[in-house]
Amino acid sequence: MPDTLVLMQVPGNHDDMPDVSISPTLAANEAVLRRRQAGLPVLPLGFGEAGLPVHPTLTAALSAAAGQGQYGPVAGLPALRAAAAGYWRRRGLDTDPELVVCGPGSKPLLYALLLAIGGRVALARPSWVSYAAQARLIGSPPVLLPTLPGQGGVPDPSLLAEAARSSDLRAVVVTIPDNPTGTLPSSETVQRLCGVAREHDLLIISDEIYRDLVHDPGLAVPSPAEYAPERTIVTTGLSKSLALGGWRLGVARIPDAALRDQVTGIGSEIWSSAPLPVQHAAAYAFTEPAELTAHVARSRDLHAAVVGAAATRFSMAGALLTPPQAAFYLYPDLSPLQAGRTDVEVAGLLLDRYGVVVLPGSAFGEPAEAMRFRVATSLLYGDSEAMRWATLSSPDPLALPWIAKTLNLLSEALEDLRTRLSAA
């Protein structure tokens, strides 16, 4: 039987309970593992894991606190909240540690925020898969609004204004920089969005977990908190910039004390407290010591080189795309290769024939006929810790044999796919 990224729905006994499938990103990772266990070739471009080794100072910080097995404060250790506040201050956003809430990852924090805010939420189309899924879990189908061309992560402000006039919107979620497109909105677009939010009394949840992975460090990241600080909640974490996804640690800057208390109350019933050893390590990380700042900079440069090379290969195959500006994502449009197929069909073909794992744009809210795909290049850095360290430290990672091999395999698969689709 061909492998698939679509899993069965989880059975339930409640008529009003929405069907819940495993997240497409995690399903993609499981597809990779199944193929490897079966001895089949695989090119893992579906899972958005940072794919890099943990810096030794972080391992030491975690180890030093490993004996702390007790519960901690629901909102997080004071040292962690102070460090996160300092992180935001260094980026021009004045932050009171009392308005910082910590959780076991930014994903649970987002869910708690949606629960606390209530009502309908507007999302960009496309947008990260969990936003829409979490909105449905709280019983409020999201309003999906297209983005402006080349400006992922932020709904078109004009369409947001129309939606706010015709529905009971309470909030809008933005991702800056964006997953899945790897692009940034303009400052003008973000300012316009903030104006719409003020006019219609919307809260803005700004997921900025990729902020430190903008390829050009001189390029400004236009956070809504700059233009509407009173109504913008900012979330971030360590899973992307420091490759600590498995440690599960996120923080939220919540400007309203009442909402902060609601989120803390919800957290007390869902996660109680994030693991204390991880909180101690995160407090160290958010102070941004020189060795970690350099580590993030090397990671950023590596991501830029490899995702840029992959983008070139998609363009050479005839795909349309906006050049990625951040993180390790690109979002090619394969519709020029052939019309009449869906993105799920083409993703299945890439997987079954070539072992190439990508996510169809329909997982991110796009029409299946749009033939767009989220491609993540961050698992191409090597199959061992030694290879990943070598990749991170290389002055020319594209010349490394394992990187060059995977990029060549991608080119071969795309060329064969183009020939196959055009002949169909």
Side-chain angles (χ1 to χ4, degrees), residues 128-191:
W128 181 48
V129 296
S130 289
Y131 297 152
Q134 290 191 358
R136 294 187 182 100
L137 280 173
I138 67 169
S140 184
V143 178
L144 298 175
L145 303 171
T147 64
L148 292 170
Q151 298 189 52
V154 175
D156 182 331
S158 298
L159 298 179
L160 179 63
E162 291 179 18
R165 286 191 289 267
S166 60
S167 61
D168 57 342
L169 286 182
R170 296 287 303 279
V172 56
V173 177
V174 301
T175 316
I176 306 174
D178 183 41
N179 171 13
T181 68
T183 62
L184 280 166
S186 69
S187 296
E188 179 188 3
T189 296
V190 174
Q191 289 183 64

Side-chain angles (χ1 to χ4, degrees), residues 179-333:
N179 171 13
T181 68
T183 62
L184 280 166
S186 69
S187 296
E188 179 188 3
T189 296
V190 174
Q191 289 183 64
R192 288 177 56 209
L193 177 125
C194 290
V196 172
R198 279 204 179 95
E199 180 181 354
H200 296 280
D201 195 24
L202 305 178
L203 288 174
I204 303 169
I205 302 173
S206 186
D207 181 346
E208 299 180 9
I209 200 164
Y210 297 98
R211 178 175 184 138
D212 297 328
L213 295 180
V214 175
H215 300 162
D216 179 357
L219 189 62
V221 178
S223 173
E226 298 175 41
Y227 311 111
E230 80 287 354
R231 65 182 59 250
T232 300
I233 300 143
V234 181
T235 65
T236 191
L238 305 176
S239 61
K240 307 305 179 182
S241 62
L242 288 168
L244 297 178
W247 288 21
R248 307 312 303 139
L249 194 290
V251 289
R253 178 193 181 275
I254 306 176
D256 179 80
L259 180 60
R260 183 262 190 191
D261 290 345
Q262 283 184 285
V263 171
T264 304
I266 291 169
S268 74
E269 302 295 354
I270 296 178
W271 61 76
S272 298
S273 69
L276 280 188
V278 177
Q279 288 195 53
H280 280 284
Y284 168 74
F286 276 120
T287 63
E288 299 183 286
E291 64 270 19
L292 292 187
T293 300
H295 185 73
V296 172
R298 287 192 297 271
S299 302
R300 180 193 65 224
D301 293 345
L302 171 61
H303 297 321
V306 177
V307 77
T312 298
R313 282 153 175 77
F314 273 94
S315 295
M316 291 174 63
L320 303 175
L321 58 85
T322 299
Q325 297 171 287
F328 32 77
Y329 300 123
L330 61 149
Y331 199 65
D333 177 348

Side-chain angles (χ1 to χ4, degrees), residues 26 29 38 43 66 85 92 104 124 129 148 187 197 209 228 245 264 267 284 344 347 358 374 382-383 405 409:
L26 296 175
N29 192 45
L43 191 56
V129 296
L148 292 170
S187 296
I209 200 164
T264 304
Y284 168 74
V344 172
V358 297
R374 205 285 299 272
D383 295 331
K405 178 181 178 181
L409 288 173

